[in-house]
């Protein structure tokens, strides 16, 4: 085993990204209705102009602008109605000087017409004559061909997280299936002789309810992972090894949350070293909480292996800072928008470590304040108050009341 | 039919909320792994203390603090080791003065012990003696019973949107299933003779690719609706009526996006009046875009009916402002955190209407700037640039470059 010195958060992220880039992420074709929220794996170009015909934006009469030049309330222009455009149909006739055609909103302009006059300014006479009481300029009330999008033009770039309006735009652009990055498959294995399934009763002495696989799975799903397995196993090297090996066969990432004892942590590193080649590439990260973190990889099965601390807050923090950070950096998607906020109290840093501080956001007087939540890493109940977290750089002694922080939301 | 005057956005929201409260939302019991992101329908109390036994936070020796009073590097206290606590097991022995017990991190303190000394400060002699080189205070390195949560105490309040850490906390609290608000069932029906399915080719003259059901469905899913049906039908009163009636049987909300012609809009209102009793309660809302919006309800089937404008941006805006607003206000959940940003250009308001302005957010120098996106409501491609939107009050002439706005994210 290579014993490495503790990595900074930046170094660990970069190593993780480099390894992940070698195998991840795969892409998949999805029909539009399933692609919302997913990240485009290739540039998308419009397959057609939109609109692909000149559309009227009002109900009225398609005219030749020159014919109604100077028309007004007291001096109407009289035109002959030579047809009526039907919604959803081609306009299979043309108009020439002195002629016009009835047209609905969204209807196709007949050849020859170059403006539309709203019906409110027109008056019909007999079957085929209309008085137009308003002048129109060339192009009035018309959406020209390609005004929305041009055939062959870039509509959405690779790496775009698809919003609801993107899905609509893709439909208009004639897309059927889109290529998006596949969700990395992940398994969570929680280890510990003390763990029992959450709702098991009675709660015997020495036992605790296993919660890491549940909170980590929810966190992973939020960050765009496909959680394919969650498992709780006792502190037995053979059992843990078998569980990891099985998960490696079906997953891109296997995350093991250990107990909190020093001996046990070493066991996870040893096991990763046994099942994976080349194995561990990071052992210890300068973050607080979460220092005892292990990162490894196996080239044969193309799996990333992670040893997370066992304490709930530490495990979630490490997962968030590494694997919440990974997907946008792997796919080129924009990260979520962190929220600027003013600190309400002093917060100490941690010598040489990046500190992750949970906080509650409160909106007052048009701005946010961040109220730090201090808690022991073995506890979880205090975390239910947290809106998100901010980071304190490892070079910093701490932050002061009134300082600005950037809060990442849960 | 009751012809009503145009509602303000606030009035329309309040009416919608009042109607929705009469029938929505139902609740459902979900197992923890499925409850992340959902909204609690009742307060949750801890079923047990956590921890329910005194836990050590370090590897070391459980001692009686008094016994190691004054101990230091040069004057160790000598104690007799009377047992070793095993992980996940009860400590079925007690210690008395002069005695101690080996204990792992997370292990249960034996009766009598009131502190733990870290293994680093202890040295064993023979089989059953240990020299302790450090004093300990009562309670050192111990998580007391109920430190994380107390049995019977409120853990999470009704209306809380469940974060990943909430799911973990619920597990620790012994919850098995949780009662959450059910996702309101919604159907989208797009009407228009000009509509063809998105990827249909060739694109004939006069036709446009239907996109509203796709973008609206994605938007609805994001806001916690269960989209059970999307449908595109021609402009035929009988067909539309049948489609709405069928959807009413299986949905809580039926949203019809119409074409853009005046005649057609009236048709939607007329049809809602035919199929629903008491029918339309709002016809026209003072928002831009989106004025021609219809809200109605049917008491027998307990369905809300909505007529949305046909233009993509208008339809999405109306849905967002009404039905994106509804769920948190119906369930008591906190709304998402809007982001304060500085406007980069002047934006005109709209006389008497609340204006919804799409914008792109850019983060620079520790703060956000909002870059308004101006586009015709019939187009959709410009919207792919939008990070979110802000509102301009109907009392306002407009906003100025440098003004602060609150941006709601897509």
């Amino acid at each position: 085993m290579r014993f490495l010195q503790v990595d900074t958060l930046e170094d660990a992220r970069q190593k993780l990204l480099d390894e992940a880039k070698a195998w991840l992420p795969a892409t998949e074709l999805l029909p539009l209705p399933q692609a919302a929220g997913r990240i485009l794996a290739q540039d998308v170009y419009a397959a057609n102009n939109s609109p692909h015909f000149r559309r009227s934006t009002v109900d009225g009469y398609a005219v030749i602008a020159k014919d109604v030049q100077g028309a007004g309330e007291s001096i109407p222009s009289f035109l002959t109605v030579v047809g009526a455009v039907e919604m959803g149909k081609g306009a299979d006739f043309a108009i020439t000087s002195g002629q016009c055609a009835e047209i609905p909103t969204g209807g196709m302009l007949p050849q020859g017409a170059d403006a539309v006059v709203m019906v409110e300014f027109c008056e019909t006479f007999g079957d085929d004559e209309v008085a137009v009481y308003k002048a129109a300029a060339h192009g009035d009330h018309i959406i020209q061909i390609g005004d929305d999008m041009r055939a062959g033009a870039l509509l959405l770039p690779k790496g775009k997280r698809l919003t609801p309006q993107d899905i609509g735009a893709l439909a208009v652009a004639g897309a059927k299936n889109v290529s998006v990055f596949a969700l990395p498959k992940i398994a969570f294995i929680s280890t510990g002789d003390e763990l029992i399934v959450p709702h098991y009763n009675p709660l015997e002495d020495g036992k605790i309810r296993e919660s890491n696989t549940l909170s980590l799975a929810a966190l992973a799903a939020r960050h765009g992972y496909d959680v394919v397995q969650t498992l709780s196993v006792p502190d037995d090297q053979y059992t843990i090894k078998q569980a990891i090996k099985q998960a490696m066969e079906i997953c891109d990432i296997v995350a093991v949350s250990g107990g909190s004892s020093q001996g046990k942590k070493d066991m996870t590193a040893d096991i990763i070293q046994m099942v994976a080649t080349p194995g561990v590439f990071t052992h210890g990260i300068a973050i607080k909480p979460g220092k005892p973190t292990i990162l490894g990889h196996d080239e044969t099965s193309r799996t990333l292996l992670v040893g997370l601390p066992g304490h709930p807050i530490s495990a979630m923090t490490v997962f968030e800072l590494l694997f919440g950070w990974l997907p946008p950096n792997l796919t080129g998607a924009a990260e979520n928008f962190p929220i600027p906020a003013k600190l309400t109290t002093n917060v100490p840093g941690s010598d040489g470590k990046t500190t992750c501080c949970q906080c509650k956001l409160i909106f007052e007087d048009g701005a946010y304040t961040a109220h730090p939540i201090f808690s022991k890493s073995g506890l979880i109940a205090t975390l239910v108050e947290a809106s998100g977290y901010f980071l304190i750089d490892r070079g910093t002694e701490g932050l002061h009341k009134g300082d600005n922080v950037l809060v990442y939301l849960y």
Side-chain angles (χ1 to χ4, degrees), chain A:
Chain A
M1 166 159 13
R2 295 173 287 162
F3 281 99
L4 301 169
Q5 62 183 52
V6 168
D7 282 340
T8 62
L9 176 59
E10 296 73 24
D11 286 347
R13 281 177 166 177
Q14 191 56 51
K15 286 185 190 175
L16 178 65
L17 180 60
D18 290 344
E19 299 302 336
K21 269 188 177 159
W23 311 318
L24 287 170
T27 63
E28 60 182 330
L29 271 185
L30 286 185
L32 287 192
Q34 291 169 32
R38 300 294 291 271
I39 295 168
L40 269 185
Q42 59 183 41
D43 295 340
V44 177
Y45 299 86
N48 47 258
N49 285 311
S50 175
H52 67 291
F53 56 90
R54 297 184 303 155
R55 293 184 77 190
S56 172
T57 62
V58 294
D59 291 331
Y61 288 87
V63 301
I64 297 166
K66 234 184 215 168
D67 285 351
V68 295
Q69 210 167 5
E73 271 186 52
S74 50
I75 345 156
S77 295
F78 291 90
L79 300 173
T80 307
V81 184
V82 295
V85 175
E86 279 185 73
M87 253 330 248
K89 300 235 167 108
D92 53 359
F93 59 91
I95 65 170
T96 54
S97 188
Q99 299 182 331
C100 70
E102 235 185 292
I103 191 165
T105 306
M108 175 177 177
L109 261 82
Q111 282 230 312
D114 68 352
V116 179
V117 179
M118 289 172 80
V119 69
E120 290 88 329
F121 302 104
C122 302
E123 191 179 359
T124 53
F125 288 97
D127 283 348
D128 63 355
E129 207 174 13
V130 65
V132 176
Y133 293 96
K134 202 178 181 199
H138 176 86
D140 269 6
H141 302 304
I142 295 174
I143 299 177
Q144 302 292 349
I145 291 172
D147 256 5
D148 197 5
M149 53 186 87
R150 298 217 156 263
L154 179 67
L155 178 66
L156 291 165
K158 176 179 172 177
K160 179 80 164 68
R161 188 185 307 276
L162 295 172
T163 60
Q165 60 267 37
D166 291 344
I167 300 295
L170 284 165
V172 170
K176 184 175 180 181
N177 298 303
V178 284
S179 173
V180 298
F181 288 112
L183 308 180
K185 291 187 183 357
I186 192 164
F188 289 103
I189 300 170
S190 203
T191 67
D193 289 334
E194 75 280 22
L195 302 176
I196 57 168
V197 293
H199 44 79
Y200 184 83
N201 282 309
L203 195 49
E204 287 160 22
D205 279 347
K207 300 288 187 194
I208 61 165
R209 303 192 189 278
E210 200 283 311
S211 67
N212 276 345
T213 59
L214 284 161
S215 52
L216 290 168
L219 187 60
R222 235 188 113 264
H223 283 298
Y225 292 88
D226 178 10
V227 180
V228 297
Q229 193 181 37
T230 60
L231 203 61
S232 174
V233 297
D235 272 327
D236 171 73
Q237 183 178 298
Y238 180 78
T239 311
I240 298 173
K241 202 170 97 182
Q242 291 310 109
I244 294 177
K245 281 171 80 171
Q246 282 171 18
M248 285 168 72
E249 289 172 20
I250 54 169
C251 289
D252 302 306
I253 304 166
V254 180
V256 181
S257 71
S260 45
S261 75
Q262 186 60 32
K264 198 192 299 189
K265 261 172 237 145
D266 279 347
M267 188 154 90
T268 301
D270 286 346
I271 294 172
I272 291 179
Q273 209 56 25
M274 281 179 223
V275 299
T277 308
V280 174
F281 60 85
T282 286
H283 195 165
I285 303 180
I287 49 177
K288 185 188 171 185
K291 184 170 175 251
T293 296
I294 302 156
L295 295 174
H297 62 144
D298 178 54
E299 283 186 349
T300 311
S301 63
R302 300 183 150 222
T303 317
L304 286 165
L305 295 124
V306 196
L308 298 170
H311 281 319
I313 299 182
S314 304
M316 287 190 68
T317 300
V318 170
F319 190 84
E320 174 73 24
L321 295 188
L322 291 174
F323 290 89
W325 173 89
L326 184 63
N329 286 282
L330 199 54
T331 59
E335 290 193 68
N336 288 332
F337 295 95
I339 294 189
K342 226 173 248 313
L343 264 185
T344 56
T345 55
N346 296 340
V347 188
S350 176
D351 191 29
K353 292 183 197 164
T354 303
T355 304
C356 180
C357 183
Q358 315 295 334
C359 67
K360 184 177 173 130
L361 273 182
I362 294 179
F363 187 70
E364 40 197 3
D365 302 329
Y368 288 97
T369 50
H371 303 249
I373 294 170
F374 299 100
S375 71
K376 300 186 198 169
S377 74
L379 312 182
I380 192 166
T382 48
L383 259 196
V384 305
E385 292 289 326
S387 321
Y389 62 93
F390 59 88
L391 295 180
I392 304 174
D393 285 345
R394 75 202 136 76
T396 322
E397 270 187 36
L399 297 173
H400 296 94
K401 180 176 172 173
D403 280 354
N404 290 308
V405 292
L406 270 185
V407 177
Y408 292 83
L409 295 177
Y410 278 124

